[in-house]
Amino acid sequence: MPKTGDDLFAFLAGLGIESSTTRHPPLFTVADSQALRGAIAGAHTRNLFLKDRKDNFFLVTVEEDAEVDLKQIHHLIGAAGRVSFGKPEMLMELLGVIPGAVTVLGLINDTQCRVKVVLDAGLMENDIINAHPLTNEATTSMRSADLLRFIEATGHVPVILKVAA
């Protein structure tokens, strides 16, 4: 069973990571979430759950308005050839979330570290980063340094690259 939001918050608290969470109606797209601008400070994320032809999985997290060249990103992230979007079944199996709720915080569910996490360098220049806490009905805000600590605590090695055009 995937972890719940409560499990996630307990994990963050156990790491001494301060975060704040704002509840809102379900958000399925970046356009939906842009209606909250001004209400939630910090950088808002867009997450791409990708796979290559050898079934390697990648979670690429960028700022919500960043442009990503999906035809060329495989060169940057170390994929075996071009990438495509991962299937919803694998998204649930690996990150414990549904399409529309993809989040870097889903790494808490990837206990075998099958997903390589790539954070855009531009995103990481922000002090506060916002992500869904395993549901698209809320947004959790934390410091970028704490996001890195969270990722490392899940056993993943965050790769910071300039992936946005």
Side-chain angles (χ1 to χ4, degrees):
M1 285 295 294
K3 302 260 191 295
T4 66
D6 288 340
D7 296 330
L8 171 67
F9 298 133
F11 186 78
L12 293 172
L15 294 171
I17 292 176
E18 291 183 26
S19 65
S20 63
T21 299
T22 303
R23 302 264 173 218
H24 48 67
L27 305 173
F28 294 97
T29 66
V30 168
D32 290 346
S33 68
Q34 287 175 333
L36 296 176
R37 290 315 150 260
I40 302 174
H44 295 266
T45 55
R46 179 166 56 117
N47 297 275
L48 307 172
F49 179 65
L50 306 171
K51 74 173 254 351
D52 67 14
R53 60 185 161 89
K54 292 190 175 181
D55 286 335
N56 295 308
F57 292 91
F58 303 84
L59 180 65
V60 178
T61 302
V62 299
E63 282 194 69
E64 67 182 351
D65 56 356
E67 291 184 28
V68 178
D69 185 349
L70 290 176
K71 292 179 181 170
Q72 297 298 319
I73 194 170
H74 63 283
H75 296 294
L76 299 172
I77 64 174
R82 286 201 173 174
V83 295
S84 59
F85 289 102
K87 294 191 179 332
E89 300 79 28
M90 291 309 297
L91 178 61
M92 177 55 74
E93 179 181 327
L94 296 174
L95 298 180
V97 295
I98 60 170
V102 183
T103 174
V104 68
L105 300 177
L107 293 171
I108 193 171
N109 286 308
D110 183 25
T111 56
Q112 296 179 3
C113 297
R114 291 184 53 199
V115 177
K116 178 179 179 180
V117 60
V118 178
L119 304 169
D120 184 59
L123 171 70
M124 297 310 293
E125 291 175 2
N126 292 281
D127 185 42
I128 302 294
I129 296 180
N130 298 297
H132 289 312
L134 309 178
T135 175
N136 62 357
E137 296 179 348
T139 298
T140 296
S141 307
M142 71 180 69
R143 294 172 110 26
S144 55
D146 286 336
L147 178 60
L148 290 173
R149 282 197 315 127
F150 162 80
I151 293 168
E152 291 166 353
T154 66
H156 294 81
V157 177
V159 176
I160 300 173
L161 297 172
K162 181 175 176 11
V163 293

